[in-house]
Amino acid sequence: QQPVQSPQAVILREGEDAVINCSSSKALYSVHWYRQKHGEAPVFLMILLKGGEQKGHDKISASFNEKKQQSSLYLTASQLSYSGTYFCGTETSGGSNYKLTFGKGTLLTVNP
Amino acid sequence: NAGVTQTPKFRVLKTGQSMTLLCAQDMNHEYMYWYRQDPGMGLRLIHYSVGEGTTAKGEVPDGYNVSRLKKQNFLLGLESAAPSQTSVYFCASTTAGEAAQYFGPGTRLTVL
């Protein structure tokens, strides 16, 4: 079953912040975040492992609450280059096949 | 390094025709995946492989077959194409201990 992402779409002005949520009905081993620009392939951003770890990547960070089976992606002081569709991918068992189930995506548009 | 490549980039088929999509990676990755991407549906896993000679079904395997005769190649076959298989197909690969899946550029398939 696909994880649920919210919101489906968000429009920002440059410099504003955004939060994208990913929620699963199953217990999670890890959560992966990807960004896909229009007409291109998805690109890996970061992985969150079981343990409530928060990670950062430039001004993009994420958290993982394994008890709530949720992850959130935080985009701070957004830049035009942040525009794209963000996908979370969830892994329900550790390590044997690295198989991910992706959400439907959140379309982020950053305007000047 | 070319990374992950996909052949062809575009294809138009008539209902009932067959075709094979080729995915090749030069990173010596054990794990390879085929996804389809439809508007508003995110990435859905069709089939995957954890090593040469092994394949397994993903979320949406019906109407597709795969083969992994060589470690670097993963083939996706459509025996009798249907309009419902109109989609963008992405191949991805990864290796043990690597967080990211690396995606190919995609194949846009239209079935008339």
Side-chain angles (χ1 to χ4, degrees):
Chain A
Q1 192 170 3
Q2 287 182 285
V4 177
Q5 288 187 232
S6 62
Q8 289 184 327
V10 58
I11 300 174
L12 301 175
R13 289 205 177 276
E14 215 172 351
E16 292 181 338
D17 302 340
V19 180
I20 299 172
N21 300 302
C22 175
S23 179
S24 174
S25 59
K26 296 184 176 182
L28 299 177
Y29 176 80
S30 68
V31 179
H32 302 227
W33 286 97
Y34 285 76
R35 177 170 62 205
Q36 183 180 30
K37 293 188 178 286
H38 184 69
E40 299 181 6
V43 174
F44 174 76
L45 292 175
M46 66 187 76
I47 180 174
L48 287 300
L49 294 172
K50 201 163 68 163
E53 185 178 358
Q54 182 150 350
K55 298 198 98 174
H57 176 78
D58 196 9
K59 292 182 181 175
I60 300 175
S61 62
S63 63
F64 178 25
N65 186 325
E66 64 187 88
K67 288 184 180 177
K68 291 186 177 180
Q69 296 154 198
Q70 291 175 349
S71 177
S72 295
L73 186 72
Y74 307 95
L75 299 103
T76 306
S78 59
Q79 305 167 16
L80 296 176
S81 61
Y82 287 3
S83 291
T85 301
Y86 290 78
F87 294 98
C88 67
T90 56
E91 190 178 6
T92 54
S93 63
S96 61
N97 55 27
Y98 301 91
K99 188 162 65 81
L100 298 178
T101 303
F102 285 93
K104 294 183 179 182
T106 296
L107 177 61
L108 177 73
T109 304
V110 181
N111 292 321
Chain B
N1 279 359
V4 180
T5 58
Q6 293 183 230
T7 309
K9 288 186 168 50
F10 303 92
R11 186 72 188 267
V12 178
L13 289 179
K14 293 183 180 178
T15 297
Q17 288 184 318
S18 63
M19 78 162 295
T20 300
L21 281 66
L22 170 64
C23 175
Q25 51 91 8
D26 61 1
M27 297 174 283
N28 202 34
H29 286 174
E30 312 92 283
Y31 305 94
M32 296 186 75
Y33 311 87
W34 275 109
Y35 295 94
R36 61 177 290 173
Q37 185 173 37
D38 303 294
M41 295 300 296
L43 294 152
R44 292 183 292 170
L45 183 65
I46 305 171
H47 286 280
Y48 65 99
S49 169
V50 301
E52 183 178 321
T54 70
T55 63
K57 293 180 180 179
E59 303 164 53
V60 288
D62 293 343
Y64 304 95
N65 55 73
V66 288
S67 64
R68 182 107 182 260
L69 299 179
K70 293 183 179 180
K71 187 176 184 179
Q72 64 267 34
N73 295 337
F74 195 26
L75 278 64
L76 178 71
L78 287 74
E79 290 184 347
S80 179
S84 61
Q85 293 178 305
T86 293
S87 189
V88 179
Y89 292 85
F90 286 102
C91 174
S93 72
T94 192
T95 186
E98 170 72 67
Q101 287 190 12
Y102 295 89
F103 283 79
T107 294
R108 184 172 294 275
L109 175 67
T110 302
V111 183
L112 302 175

